[in-house]
Amino acid sequence: MHMRKKKWSRPELAACPYYTSHGEQYRSKWAEAFAKHQPLHLELGCGKGVSTAAMIRDNPDINFIAVDISPDVLGVARRNLEAAFEGDDVTNAMIVHQDIEYITNMFTEGDAIDRIYIHFCNPWSMRPKHAKRRLTHPRQLAQYRTFLRDGGEIWFKTDDDDLFRDSLTYFEVSGFEQKYITYDLHGDGFQPNYISEHEKKYTDMGVNIKFGIFVKKPGEMPIDPVEWGKDERHSRSHEPPKKLEKNRK
């Protein structure tokens, strides 16, 4: 997310007890970053944190790690989190400045993340050669598999048709099972659904939100993500399913 530089952001983040720009210091010991030992959920690309703040507030029995590459965006996310908690201490969240391309600098298998959220990431749809930058590309999924526990889930939302179609293939070849798929999240009424500014904007424009839950299968990743990624035609070699069952489990 591009945002004008905010002079107040870095000083406020520096004073924030649940912010770090050095996530690597918690590598393999993220449970120790929180007051209580609880399930760990990770959001990759939290943006302004409107939906993130509501989700964290409503789920005090879960510890959340919200990551973004922009300190200016994270400054806004911190303010939204403070507003959501209305003066109460934020004890079940950490916000982290990190480039997601190098996310394994922060996590190892020992962290055993229970769920990952990827909401409205950059679709990189203009040129096929840029597809490897997608947060759902097998190169990235290979990293997530190293610290997402077996049976753990990735919740993925997007307004982009091409990204969603290709991501169905990415998850399939990377050893994930489809648990729930919808091409009209709001129409289907899936809950819980925390709505961000981006989601509201595109929904108001009449764009359907696509959403899927993908479960990590045990074992090694079935493909070599580097070799597979050399030919992006693989991502378009599978026709999208004509009809997908919606299994709410």
Side-chain angles (χ1 to χ4, degrees):
M1 175 179 290
H2 296 285
M3 180 179 288
R4 290 182 180 179
K5 187 171 182 179
K6 299 185 180 299
K7 294 181 179 180
W8 51 264
S9 178
R10 287 161 179 77
E12 288 190 10
L13 287 173
C16 178
Y18 52 89
Y19 165 78
T20 182
S21 59
H22 300 285
E24 67 277 1
Q25 68 181 312
Y26 295 107
R27 194 169 187 260
S28 79
K29 52 184 179 181
W30 273 98
E32 300 175 14
F34 298 91
K36 296 180 181 180
H37 190 274
Q38 303 181 143
L40 279 170
H41 288 193
L42 168 66
E43 182 169 11
L44 299 175
C46 65
K48 294 180 181 178
V50 173
S51 57
T52 307
M55 181 169 59
I56 294 171
R57 178 199 61 207
D58 290 352
N59 294 277
D61 56 342
I62 298 171
N63 291 331
F64 291 88
I65 305 167
V67 177
D68 205 279
I69 197 172
S70 168
D72 299 300
V73 168
L74 287 173
V76 177
R78 188 206 69 84
R79 286 190 172 185
N80 283 327
L81 194 52
E82 293 287 331
F85 274 74
E86 298 180 332
D88 293 336
D89 291 339
V90 180
T91 60
N92 66 322
M94 288 287 292
I95 52 178
V96 186
H97 176 215
Q98 172 69 34
D99 185 344
I100 297 168
E101 184 177 355
Y102 307 103
I103 196 66
T104 49
N105 288 346
M106 285 177 50
F107 297 101
T108 68
E109 181 180 359
D111 291 310
I113 300 297
D114 293 274
R115 183 181 296 171
I116 296 173
Y117 302 95
I118 304 174
H119 293 166
F120 304 102
C121 61
N122 190 328
W124 293 105
S125 296
M126 297 300 293
R127 296 183 180 180
K129 68 177 183 179
H130 289 162
K132 63 185 179 182
R133 301 182 183 180
R134 292 169 165 174
L135 295 189
T136 57
H137 191 275
R139 293 190 183 195
Q140 286 299 126
L141 294 177
Q143 293 195 67
Y144 311 153
R145 286 185 63 88
T146 64
F147 55 81
L148 181 68
R149 67 171 178 82
D150 289 347
E153 299 176 344
I154 295 181
W155 288 33
F156 172 56
K157 276 198 288 190
T158 183
D159 55 279
D160 190 275
D161 293 333
D162 290 341
L163 174 60
F164 192 70
R165 178 201 61 216
D166 292 348
S167 293
L168 294 180
T169 298
Y170 296 157
F171 282 107
E172 179 185 357
V173 302
S174 300
F176 288 85
E177 178 183 357
Q178 293 180 8
K179 180 178 179 179
Y180 179 87
I181 297 291
T182 178
Y183 292 90
D184 184 3
L185 177 59
H186 291 204
D188 284 356
F190 178 90
Q191 294 295 330
N193 182 38
Y194 293 95
I195 300 175
S196 65
E197 288 184 347
H198 183 100
E199 183 170 344
K200 184 179 186 306
K201 172 185 175 181
Y202 279 86
T203 300
D204 289 348
M205 291 168 57
V207 177
N208 286 349
I209 304 302
K210 278 64 68 175
F211 172 68
I213 299 175
F214 304 88
V215 181
K216 179 192 171 186
K217 298 177 184 178
E220 298 295 324
M221 187 161 175
I223 62 166
D224 180 335
V226 176
E227 291 299 320
W228 190 91
K230 287 181 178 178
D231 186 357
E232 280 305 322
R233 288 175 297 179
H234 284 299
S235 67
R236 302 187 183 277
S237 64
H238 291 67
E239 290 296 326
K242 292 182 179 179
K243 183 177 182 180
L244 291 167
E245 294 183 359
K246 303 179 181 69
N247 296 321
R248 292 190 176 121
K249 298 181 181 179

